[in-house]
């Protein structure tokens, strides 16, 4: 599989990463088709999740992990910062004044930057130590490849969540 841009054709692993990211993003965005802002903000299941909030969360996480690939640990919030926990929780909700259109636009911009990073990063093996946090093993390091795989996995997981929420909202399905 090869992916072409005006500047560079990527093949192999990079093309595979771009294709996997593209597929997961497609299904996440597909869940939002035809929703208005109120529907996108609706919690339709027992969870706190909504379609718009999931898009907002995935955008923030993709941005953060792409920054980690380039900048290292400083791109990540401190694991012991209570404010980081609240910001993380708010990242799953559509807040007053937020629109689905704006969330999708922000997601598209982040996706473009991440795709360009995949195309141009000199070394997928380059990595950084993860910040201290209860959810990371002490001293663990992730390569750029591992962080990109995490973006793919998280996007795919949340696309599934969004699909369930959407089906509960109005019976529409993105998958299956």
């Amino acid at each position: 599989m090869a992916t072409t841009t005006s500047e560079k054709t990527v093949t192999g692993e990079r093309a595979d990463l771009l294709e996997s990211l593209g597929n997961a993003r497609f299904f996440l965005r597909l869940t939002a088709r035809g929703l208005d802002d109120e529907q996108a903000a609706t919690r339709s299941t027992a969870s706190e999740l909504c379609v718009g909030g999931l898009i907002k969360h995935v955008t923030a996480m993709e941005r953060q992990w792409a920054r980690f690939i380039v900048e290292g640990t400083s791109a990540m919030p401190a694991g012991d910062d209570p404010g980081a926990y609240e910001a993380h929780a708010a990242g799953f909700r559509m807040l007053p004044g937020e629109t689905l259109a704006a969330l999708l636009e922000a997601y598209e911009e982040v996706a473009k930057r991440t795709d360009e990073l995949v195309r141009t990063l000199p070394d997928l093996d380059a990595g950084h130590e993860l910040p201290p946090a209860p959810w990371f093993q002490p001293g663990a390091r992730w390569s750029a490849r591992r962080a990109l795989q995490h973006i793919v996995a998280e996007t795919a997981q949340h696309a599934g969540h969004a699909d369930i929420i959407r089906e509960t909202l109005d019976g529409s399905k993105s998958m299956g």
Side-chain angles (χ1 to χ4, degrees):
M1 180 87 201
T3 302
T4 304
T5 67
S6 59
E7 300 168 16
K8 183 177 181 180
T9 298
V10 294
T11 59
E13 180 179 21
R14 290 173 193 261
D16 291 344
L17 284 166
L18 290 170
E19 182 179 7
S20 295
L21 270 169
N23 287 337
R25 290 176 185 141
F26 168 80
F27 282 111
L28 180 58
R29 285 189 306 263
L30 185 63
T31 61
R33 73 194 177 290
L35 292 179
D36 62 28
D37 294 335
E38 183 179 340
Q39 291 170 310
T42 298
R43 293 177 37 226
S44 63
T45 67
S47 85
E48 295 287 323
L49 302 177
C50 65
V51 172
L54 285 167
I55 292 167
K56 180 180 171 181
H57 168 73
V58 169
T59 301
M61 290 302 101
E62 184 169 327
R63 181 185 302 115
Q64 181 177 294
W65 282 108
R67 283 188 56 221
F68 170 81
I69 290 168
V70 175
E71 300 170 24
T73 304
S74 65
M76 308 295 276
D80 60 353
D81 176 8
Y85 287 108
E86 179 52 40
H88 181 76
F92 283 99
R93 297 186 299 268
M94 282 183 66
L95 302 177
E98 292 181 327
T99 66
L100 180 58
L103 294 174
L104 287 167
E105 184 177 319
Y107 188 39
E108 187 65 29
E109 287 303 311
V110 166
K112 286 178 187 176
R113 287 194 301 270
T114 302
D115 288 354
E116 187 61 22
L117 180 63
V118 172
R119 289 182 188 96
T120 61
L121 193 66
D123 184 4
L124 293 176
D125 289 324
H128 304 284
E129 188 170 323
L130 293 168
W135 45 88
F136 297 133
Q137 282 191 314
R141 294 181 61 83
W142 277 12
S143 66
R145 174 184 298 101
R146 177 65 185 92
L148 290 165
Q149 290 170 336
H150 180 73
I151 293 169
V152 171
E154 183 154 326
T155 304
Q157 177 183 14
H158 290 314
H161 293 148
D163 191 49
I164 291 166
I165 293 165
R166 177 62 191 261
E167 185 175 1
T168 305
L169 272 174
D170 66 7
S172 295
K173 296 185 205 178
S174 304
M175 303 176 221

